[in-house]
Amino acid sequence: MLEDIKIIKPAEIEKTSMEIITKELGDRIFPESEAPIIKRCIHTSADFDYADNLVFSKNAVSTALEAIRHGASIVTDTRMAASGVNKRKLAQYGGQVYCFMDHEDVALEAKNRGCTRAVVCMERGAEIKGPVIFAIGNAPTALIHLYELIQEKRVDPVLVIGVPVGFVNVIESKELYLESEIPHIIAKGRKGGSNIAAAICNALIYQV
């Protein structure tokens, strides 16, 4: 009933949400640097599965934080993910967010080559100078081609956030990184999304 709804000020909503998440996680303990990322993914999705399906490679978070402090850029595979990243906060350290998906020349090149725009976008991201974090929340094709670019030594990302959502090649694209030495934060299984990619980026930025 309406009278049972507790009115909470906007500034307190996130704080209260995080308190609820912490309480519902109970006695579970996570590494100090990983806990904020896990909790922000849960906060974004209301899905506690992220407490179990997020995989962090060794030193992934500390390496990413150091890179952000030194102006690392973030490349996303969707405009939605790019929109969700706190660009103002990232810019305080000299970083920018890039998404090439809706560029007309990207669409034209993809058409001429007979490939997806996600493939071309990863190649554009590989051309960015300086440290780069790739955040993939939608297209397993992007995650697969990025892996190929890394193997070809065309790019050496600081971190790959691999959280595409769906059914076709999603699990397989993630397993490429789980079985590699590439620095990564991966959501095992089918779950993920652009909102999760942005949430992980923000959880990193807020820790710097």
Side-chain angles (χ1 to χ4, degrees):
M1 302 296 288
L2 186 60
E3 59 268 22
D4 296 323
I5 297 176
K6 182 180 179 181
I7 304 301
I8 301 176
K9 295 180 180 180
E12 294 294 314
I13 291 175
E14 180 174 319
K15 178 176 180 291
T16 303
S17 295
M18 289 299 186
E19 290 172 351
I20 292 170
I21 290 167
T22 300
K23 181 179 179 181
E24 293 198 17
L25 284 171
D27 296 331
R28 299 195 61 174
I29 298 175
F30 305 97
E32 185 177 356
S33 63
E34 297 175 9
I37 297 170
I38 293 168
K39 290 180 180 180
R40 188 156 293 277
C41 287
I42 294 171
H43 177 260
T44 297
S45 63
D47 188 344
F48 278 81
D49 282 355
Y50 286 103
D52 297 303
N53 68 14
L54 284 180
V55 179
F56 299 78
S57 64
K58 185 177 180 181
N59 299 323
V61 175
S62 60
T63 301
L65 296 182
E66 186 66 17
I68 292 171
R69 291 188 190 99
H70 290 87
S73 297
I74 296 175
V75 174
T76 72
D77 66 327
T78 64
R79 182 59 59 186
M80 178 181 174
S83 298
V85 177
N86 190 328
K87 289 175 280 295
R88 179 178 298 180
K89 183 73 172 177
L90 183 65
Q92 291 179 6
Y93 306 101
Q96 297 183 61
V97 178
Y98 295 90
C99 180
F100 304 100
M101 188 62 73
D102 57 0
H103 290 200
E104 290 184 8
D105 59 332
V106 167
L108 180 60
E109 182 177 343
K111 181 179 180 180
N112 290 338
R113 290 170 54 185
C115 65
T116 66
R117 286 182 293 166
V119 165
V120 181
C121 288
M122 293 300 99
E123 293 173 358
R124 297 290 173 88
E127 295 172 357
I128 296 173
K129 304 300 182 185
V132 180
I133 294 170
F134 285 82
I136 312 302
N138 182 69
T141 305
L143 201 56
I144 293 166
H145 191 54
L146 177 59
Y147 179 85
E148 293 171 339
L149 294 173
I150 294 169
Q151 298 306 304
E152 294 168 4
K153 301 190 183 306
R154 293 171 62 183
V155 65
D156 184 21
V158 170
L159 175 70
V160 175
I161 298 169
V163 292
V165 60
F167 300 94
V168 179
N169 288 330
V170 168
I171 294 174
E172 292 83 355
S173 67
K174 294 173 178 178
E175 288 179 346
L176 290 173
Y177 292 83
L178 294 174
E179 297 170 358
S180 77
E181 298 298 320
I182 299 167
H184 60 259
I185 299 175
I186 299 290
K188 292 188 297 183
R190 294 171 170 172
K191 292 185 178 182
S194 296
N195 59 333
I196 297 299
I200 294 173
C201 290
N202 287 333
L204 290 168
I205 294 168
Y206 298 154
Q207 287 193 67
V208 176

